[in-house]
Amino acid sequence: QVQLVESGGGLVQAGDSLRLSCSASGRTFSSLIMGWFRQAPGKEREFVGGISGGGSTKYHDSVKGRFTISRDNAKITVYLQMNNLEPEDTAVYFCAADQRSWFISNMRSEYDFWGQGTQVTVSS
């Protein structure tokens, strides 16, 4: 089992930055692929980006150049740095852990463990 807890969400204005954190516990964190997803009201949960144990990253096209995922294996934490936020980024953001794959998947079904989510609201 892996327990995930997100933090750092809030209300910001368009153009602002925000950093989300996801703290993990329960098993060897460095071997996990970690993903960030988001779900806006009335929409499906979508892949934002992910990071492998070795630090390789993958992003959804809509956030490339604005969002950066990093991890600190010593602190068993993964981060989502969000810059130049847009109202369209408003959503509940979830971190997730994949203990089975060898690559970063953008599919929800590949992730085994999920956090409870943190709300990000971007006003125009």
Side-chain angles (χ1 to χ4, degrees):
Q1 286 291 326
V2 177
Q3 292 79 43
L4 303 172
V5 179
E6 301 97 336
S7 61
L11 172 63
V12 297
Q13 294 185 331
D16 285 351
S17 298
L18 204 58
R19 189 178 79 159
L20 305 184
S21 300
C22 174
S23 297
S25 63
R27 63 160 288 166
T28 306
F29 176 74
S30 61
S31 68
L32 297 172
I33 289 174
M34 301 298 296
W36 284 97
F37 288 75
R38 66 187 180 186
Q39 187 166 17
K43 294 188 177 181
E44 294 288 319
R45 192 172 299 186
E46 67 174 5
F47 176 77
V48 173
I51 186 167
S52 70
S56 299
T57 55
K58 177 180 177 179
Y59 299 95
H60 189 279
D61 285 345
S62 65
V63 306
K64 282 181 181 176
R66 300 189 299 123
F67 290 11
T68 303
I69 297 173
S70 60
R71 66 192 296 160
D72 186 333
N73 289 336
K75 295 183 177 179
I76 52 174
T77 300
V78 63
Y79 304 98
L80 176 64
Q81 176 68 43
M82 303 184 292
N83 297 329
N84 193 22
L85 282 160
E86 303 169 351
E88 293 73 22
D89 296 316
T90 295
V92 178
Y93 284 71
F94 299 88
C95 72
D98 178 355
Q99 65 177 353
R100 297 170 288 158
S101 299
W102 292 96
F103 58 93
I104 303 169
S105 173
N106 62 357
M107 296 180 61
R108 291 173 52 185
S109 58
E110 291 297 313
Y111 290 81
D112 306 291
F113 306 101
W114 293 82
Q116 82 289 350
T118 186
Q119 177 71 47
V120 172
T121 303
V122 185
S123 62
S124 57

